[in-house]
Amino acid sequence: MTQHQHPGHVDPVLAAGDEPMSNASANGYFGDILEARISRRAMLRGSLAAAVAGAMATQLPFGSAFAAGGASAPAPSLGFKAIPVSAADSVVVPEGYRVSAILPWGTPISGDMPAFSLDASGEAQGHQVGSHHDGVHFFPLEGSSRDGLLVMNHEYVEPRFLHAAAAGLALDRNGFPQNADGSRDDDQVLKELNAHGVSVVRIREGSDGQWQVVEDARNRRITGLTPMRLAGPVAGTEHVVTKYSPDGTMTRGTLNNCAHGVTPWNTYLAAEENWAGYFANSDAEIDRRQARYGIQTRDTGRYQWHRAESGADEFVRFDASSRGATPAEDYRNEPHAFGWMVEIDPLDPAATPVKRTHLGRFAHEGVIFAPAVEGQPVVAYSGDDARFEYIYKFVSARPYHAATADGSLLDEGTLYVARFHEDGRGEWLALAPGENGLTPENGFADLADILVNTRAAADQAGATKMDRPEWGAVDPATGQVYFTLTNNTRREAGDEDAANPRAENHFGHIIRWQEEGSHAGTRFAWDLFVLAGDGDDSQPILAGEPLGQEAIFANPDGLWIDADRRVWIQTDISESVMNTGIFEVFGNNQMLAANPETGEIRRFLTGPVGQEITGVVTTPDQRTMFVNVQHPGATTEAEAFAAGELVSHWPDGGSAIPRSATLVITREDGGIIGA
Ligand code: FEO
Ligand code: CA
Ligand code: CA
């Protein structure tokens, strides 16, 4: 069969790793307010970090607000020696630590345990670890720190590394092989869909200290094809009626699963982030249920799955054009079944995954639950990772009771969106019928309409436009909530606000807040934790001085706070800029640890070439840490790929193709990681 390269149009919605910008609302940037808070003179001098620090020190009530809430606790130790930045094709950890890689893409975990090979079939991929490892959690079996189910997301794929047929083609990281007429080979499409989703895999530490896959009935792949149930207010409504599910209760697959969350009842939630790019839609008119998420009139999807040769139903559904007489005869509503949080019970391999629609529909980066309190509502925070999008939280209607809690708690409650006031206070705006302008007169018919149009509802409510909200984390001692804001170079001078204080925000920042009363409350006090950047343009707010060489970083993305309160920060400098220009000083993507009381930050890990570090968790005893390495080698140019010259061969080395994989990190003395 003739295969040639993808034509290579650069549609920003389709490009891997790009976060489409589609917020055209007039919601405030607080530009005027900022001008009052940051001295004009300082801005004109170009010393923005200093200006922001000055504003923080003098005008934000954060310190007093937090102090009033008693929000401080013993600081965690950062007992390791910081490592330098790196541009090497290897993983580096501090002195006294060991690191190895397990579960690379293609590792067999279920079925007949099909061995990894570049020409493995699409069906085999459905029994192997997926690609592009992201959010990860360790579910201990019987409380063990040596035996458990590792559950992880597979955000997307690089088809050129997936298919032996791609060898010799000039494909970049977004490219894929296709036939001369633009159709796609069915098995390649199947392999790409099966390399997405989630892996559930039992791993155990052997007597030699090495972690191995254990064949187990719970090992499971959830993919872009797995049947899933819809639950919550959008389930069974006209929004999600399709040919596959005329009653709107079911859908197939989960895509672009970035970060995750773990519920208080010990299930796993996988986020659906940049799902919009996978859909084509040739309709002349595209309503806000798709347009507000970046789907425009176009006959192309990210990987052209709707052009599979067979025309099989599970592939053509990625064309959302109105082709039938009614929505029950086509897939015009298929995109409305994406953009949710998907609940998976890793301990029950027969359980159908459930899309929990009351948590809202957007580019979910992940979700973080506040510690559950018996008799109190369940609270979960989630960010919408696109430029100028919002931070949300869900508060359950029913109280949490450990003995009976399950996912149905997520089906009734209130979704809120955050507004950050310029004075360091903030409020949660309910996205509920009749509240905050969400009325039929303003175009919101009912709760299902609000939820399927979460972004539009948040626009209406007047939320604060953020610089790409990524992961969140909750400090277990103080209850403070942290969120990474990775960057936003589209924020122009004059559009800054106190919570997003930098125009052309290349490097990102981390915000945190303390809820007033409880996590279920509607008011909070907030501050910035750190403005990321290099030695000239960075500011850890507590520590005061710009970041030193041991701590410079850019584009915070992954975030996790361990049981001792270490704040683990992971970076995702884009493939398009890493190791070039103003980003050169940061080297390859990395992970650092921060002290939440002092603001001190130290670099703990650097990754191989072309990747991002994303996803981190430890075993319950904190003596083994798992960290994911995603898309090594992604910076290989198309011509270099054609010539077989790859910029990374991690983790296998030699001339191997690079593969996403999971790091296992331990201390030589068996101690707690980071202490
Ligand atoms: Fe999938 Fe926003 O990173
Ligand atoms: Ca991410
Ligand atoms: Ca990212």
Side-chain angles (χ1 to χ4, degrees):
M1 152 186 338
T2 315
Q3 304 223 37
H4 68 128
Q5 75 180 84
H6 179 50
H9 62 100
V10 188
D11 181 334
V13 174
L14 306 182
D18 194 273
E19 320 294 334
M21 183 173 71
S22 50
N23 189 351
S25 78
N27 283 357
Y29 298 101
F30 297 109
D32 298 343
I33 294 152
L34 181 89
E35 202 156 340
R37 294 191 53 246
I38 296 180
S39 99
R40 190 78 193 147
R41 204 155 47 102
M43 291 189 70
L44 291 173
R45 278 205 311 267
S47 180
L48 189 51
V52 171
M56 290 295 156
T58 57
Q59 296 183 41
L60 276 187
F62 179 86
S64 56
F66 267 24
S72 67
S77 60
L78 298 182
F80 60 90
K81 188 165 168 237
I83 60 168
V85 297
S86 167
D89 192 30
S90 60
V91 175
V92 180
V93 291
E95 249 173 64
Y97 282 79
R98 291 197 187 99
V99 61
S100 59
I102 62 169
L103 300 172
W105 160 61
T107 303
I109 62 169
S110 65
D112 294 336
M113 301 289 283
F116 168 73
S117 77
L118 265 190
D119 55 6
S121 68
E123 187 190 354
Q125 176 66 73
H127 292 292
Q128 298 169 335
V129 170
S131 191
H132 287 55
H133 302 28
D134 209 312
V136 61
H137 189 70
F138 180 82
F139 290 85
L141 292 173
E142 290 163 18
S144 175
S145 285
R146 301 198 143 73
D147 188 2
L149 300 176
L150 200 71
V151 184
M152 74 168 107
N153 291 344
H154 301 291
E155 188 174 26
Y156 61 101
V157 299
E158 276 190 50
R160 60 180 177 172
F161 292 140
L162 240 56
H163 308 303
L169 301 178
L171 296 171
D172 67 12
R173 60 183 178 272
N174 300 313
F176 45 83
Q178 58 184 331
N179 302 322
D181 66 356
S183 66
R184 295 216 54 209
D185 175 79
D186 263 55
D187 199 62
Q188 288 182 10
V189 171
L190 178 64
K191 192 169 184 178
E192 291 164 24
L193 273 155
N194 277 344
H196 281 73
V198 178
S199 289
V200 179
V201 54
R202 183 176 176 188
I203 55 172
R204 189 168 55 204
E205 185 183 22
S207 51
D208 59 355
Q210 301 297 308
W211 288 74
Q212 304 281 353
V213 173
V214 180
E215 287 194 61
D216 190 282
R218 290 163 291 202
N219 288 2
R220 181 183 189 191
R221 282 304 320 287
I222 287 150
T223 74
L225 294 159
T226 305
M228 307 205 166
R229 185 164 70 81
L230 295 164
V234 177
T237 67
E238 48 99 8
H239 299 288
V240 283
V241 166
T242 61
K243 187 174 166 188
Y244 175 72
S245 182
D247 66 358
T249 57
M250 295 290 291
T251 190
R252 282 169 290 190
T254 184
L255 293 174
N256 215 270
N257 304 106
C258 196
H260 68 295
V262 181
T263 66
W265 46 96
N266 211 36
T267 59
Y268 183 91
L269 290 179
E272 298 186 326
E273 191 192 11
N274 292 315
W275 47 273
Y278 292 79
F279 290 95
N281 190 336
S282 298
D283 289 353
E285 294 284 315
I286 294 177
D287 73 34
R288 65 181 181 180
R289 291 175 299 179
Q290 296 178 26
R292 184 64 181 80
Y293 296 90
I295 298 179
Q296 306 149 0
T297 300
R298 59 171 187 249
D299 64 0
T300 51
R302 183 167 178 172
Y303 304 116
Q304 297 287 69
W305 288 338
H306 64 292
R307 300 288 316 271
E309 285 171 310
S310 63
D313 189 68
E314 66 269 31
F315 303 146
V316 299
R317 68 187 162 117
F318 291 102
D319 180 352
S321 309
S322 303
R323 297 186 181 280
T326 70
E329 292 167 58
D330 61 25
Y331 287 103
R332 71 187 70 176
N333 288 333
E334 186 73 0
H336 312 158
F338 289 82
W340 308 109
M341 292 296 318
V342 183
E343 185 174 20
I344 293 164
D345 183 353
L347 297 166
D348 179 3
T352 301
V354 184
K355 298 200 178 189
R356 298 287 177 192
T357 64
H358 215 144
L359 272 57
R361 176 170 176 258
F362 43 92
H364 277 282
E365 176 74 17
V367 67
I368 177 74
F369 283 80
V373 179
E374 188 73 15
Q376 297 294 311
V378 170
V379 180
Y381 300 91
S382 185
D384 183 353
D385 180 13
R387 293 178 288 248
F388 302 117
E389 295 298 344
Y390 308 121
I391 294 175
Y392 298 85
K393 85 169 171 185
F394 172 84
V395 179
S396 71
R398 285 187 284 128
Y400 172 79
H401 293 293
T404 56
D406 66 19
S408 69
L409 280 166
L410 304 178
D411 293 338
E412 295 166 59
T414 306
L415 184 66
Y416 295 88
V417 67
R419 181 190 278 162
F420 293 84
H421 294 298
E422 72 281 6
D423 63 354
R425 300 280 168 174
E427 64 183 304
W428 291 103
L429 307 167
L431 303 181
E435 307 245 12
N436 296 303
L438 299 173
T439 61
E441 299 72 51
N442 286 331
F444 296 92
D446 55 22
L447 181 56
D449 198 24
I450 289 169
L451 292 171
V452 84
N453 291 298
T454 300
R455 283 181 170 177
D459 295 342
Q460 175 73 47
T464 302
K465 292 174 167 178
M466 309 299 286
D467 286 350
R468 293 187 52 197
E470 301 261 15
W471 292 48
V474 177
D475 183 324
T478 64
Q480 290 167 8
V481 187
Y482 289 64
F483 259 78
T484 50
L485 297 157
T486 199
N487 64 56
N488 185 356
T489 52
R490 301 283 186 90
R491 188 177 291 276
E492 295 175 359
D495 290 339
E496 308 95 329
D497 61 58
N500 302 277
R502 290 198 283 200
E504 290 184 57
N505 184 1
H506 290 281
F507 299 137
H509 56 287
I510 299 176
I511 196 167
R512 64 177 183 172
W513 63 86
Q514 179 93 48
E515 301 280 6
E516 197 174 292
S518 77
H519 283 281
T522 57
R523 298 192 174 276
F524 57 90
W526 66 269
D527 197 1
L528 302 178
F529 182 61
V530 58
L531 296 169
D534 59 25
D536 295 325
D537 189 12
S538 62
Q539 194 72 62
I541 302 303
L542 297 168
E545 294 300 309
L547 296 171
Q549 281 305 306
E550 77 294 346
I552 58 168
F553 69 99
N555 307 130
D557 185 346
L559 189 71
W560 184 63
I561 302 181
D562 68 25
D564 295 340
R565 305 181 65 213
R566 283 172 211 90
V567 181
W568 296 92
I569 302 165
Q570 302 178 313
T571 73
D572 180 14
I573 298 170
S574 165
E575 301 94 286
S576 59
V577 295
M578 68 171 71
N579 290 310
T580 66
I582 57 172
F583 289 92
E584 192 170 4
V585 293
F586 304 107
N588 297 342
N589 278 309
Q590 54 175 292
M591 182 167 79
L592 313 95
N595 180 326
E597 292 294 329
T598 65
E600 184 195 358
I601 297 176
R602 286 187 199 180
R603 187 176 303 103
F604 179 80
L605 179 150
T606 56
V609 173
Q611 53 73 46
E612 72 175 272
I613 297 293
T614 182
V616 51
V617 69
T618 64
T619 49
D621 66 6
Q622 298 181 261
R623 285 163 162 80
T624 302
M625 176 179 267
F626 302 102
V627 172
N628 277 334
V629 176
Q630 185 189 102
H631 64 71
T635 45
T636 302
E637 303 286 351
E639 294 69 29
F641 179 80
E645 293 160 5
L646 311 177
V647 298
S648 173
H649 300 284
W650 190 88
D652 301 322
S655 60
I657 60 151
R659 295 196 275 170
S660 297
T662 302
L663 302 176
V664 180
I665 299 165
T666 53
R667 268 171 64 166
E668 287 167 6
D669 66 2
I672 288 173
I673 306 300

